[in-house]
Amino acid sequence: MLTARKKIQTERGVVPDEFEESVAQALFDLEATNNELKSDLKDLFINSAKEIDVSSGRKAIIVQVPFRLLKSFHKIHPRLIRELEKKFSGKDVVLVGNRRILKPSSSGQALARPRSRTLTAVHTALLDDLVYPTEIVGKRTRYRVDGSKVLKVYLDPKERNSTEYKLETFAGVYKKLTGKDVVFEYPVTEA
C-alpha cells in the first residue's frame, strides 16, 4: 500500500481514509498494468475521493484532482474513467478539479479576489468538469412557483449515447458538492 500513497496527496498532510487509498491503489495498478495509460499516469495524483449515493441504490465516486493537473487528466479522461469503472463495478466515476472559493474582501478592494475564485465561477467550472468531455450547449434557470430554483443544463446531443446513462449521476454529484438542484437534458432538435 505504501507505493500507492504517491498517487494521493491530501491537503496539509491529512491522512487519507480507506476508500481514498483504494482509489489511489486502483490508479497505481492501472499505471503498473495498463501500457496505454502508463506514461500518462506517471506524474498524476489525486487529492481526495468520496463515494456518494446518487439514487435508487446507484453509487458514484467523486475523484478530486489538483487544478493544475486537470488538463493532463482530461487528455486520458475517457480511458481512465472506463478503467476505473471496471475496477469499481456498478459505480459511476466522476473527475472534478479541486478549486478554492475565496470570500469577498471586506476592505472593498477589487483586486483582493480573482474572478476564478468566486462562488459562481467555481460552481460553473465544476459543472463543466462533471460533464467532460461532453459540452454544455445551454443553461436555463427555472424559478418555480414556490420560489425554488432549478438549473436546466442542455448537453451536446452528439454525445448522447456515451452520457445518457450518467445524467442522474451528474445531478446527484452536483447537488452533493454545491447544494443546487440541476436537471441535465438534451435539446430537442426540430426536424
Side-chain angles (χ1 to χ4, degrees):
M1 230 13 173
L2 200 59
T3 52
R5 285 298 300 261
K6 69 177 185 179
K7 286 292 172 195
I8 183 164
Q9 294 180 9
T10 56
E11 284 186 32
R12 294 184 208 99
V14 177
V15 179
D17 62 19
E18 191 176 315
F19 181 71
E20 289 175 334
E21 286 188 2
S22 69
V23 173
Q25 183 65 43
L27 278 174
F28 182 75
D29 293 344
L30 279 176
E31 183 184 340
T33 58
N34 194 325
N35 288 333
E36 71 180 61
L37 290 175
K38 185 174 191 149
S39 61
D40 294 323
L41 279 175
K42 187 176 64 172
D43 299 324
L44 301 181
F45 58 89
I46 64 171
N47 285 125
S48 68
K50 285 185 248 175
E51 184 176 31
I52 64 162
D53 290 323
V54 178
S55 65
S56 63
R58 197 170 174 137
K59 292 187 181 284
I61 298 172
I62 306 169
V63 179
Q64 287 192 317
V65 301
F67 176 72
R68 66 182 190 275
L69 296 178
L70 192 59
K71 273 196 173 153
S72 302
F73 272 102
H74 281 332
K75 288 179 187 171
I76 59 169
H77 189 275
R79 292 177 290 167
L80 181 63
I81 294 297
R82 186 174 54 243
E83 294 296 327
L84 285 175
E85 285 178 350
K86 280 184 204 171
K87 288 222 184 257
F88 300 102
S89 58
K91 298 174 185 168
D92 293 329
V93 179
V94 176
L95 285 177
V96 294
N98 196 14
R99 292 183 171 82
R100 187 171 309 274
I101 300 171
L102 296 178
K103 63 183 173 127
S105 67
S106 57
S107 63
Q109 290 179 327
L111 299 174
R113 171 173 77 155
R115 291 282 170 136
S116 64
R117 305 288 196 290
T118 62
L119 178 89
T120 307
V122 169
H123 285 186
T124 304
L126 187 67
L127 202 55
D128 290 333
D129 287 352
L130 272 179
V131 300
Y132 188 85
T134 306
E135 285 185 34
I136 295 173
V137 294
K139 291 183 206 167
R140 305 286 183 270
T141 304
R142 181 167 177 220
Y143 295 91
R144 294 198 178 125
V145 178
D146 63 355
S148 62
K149 288 197 295 187
V150 175
L151 180 65
K152 281 190 168 187
V153 177
Y154 296 102
L155 301 177
D156 190 2
K158 290 181 229 153
E159 300 285 333
R160 188 177 200 137
N161 295 337
S162 61
T163 57
E164 192 161 28
Y165 69 97
K166 279 189 167 185
L167 294 183
E168 66 182 21
T169 300
F170 294 155
V173 168
Y174 192 73
K175 174 77 172 171
K176 173 76 175 169
L177 293 176
T178 64
K180 294 180 179 177
D181 288 321
V182 67
V183 176
F184 290 92
E185 296 177 355
Y186 295 98
V188 179
T189 54
E190 296 177 18

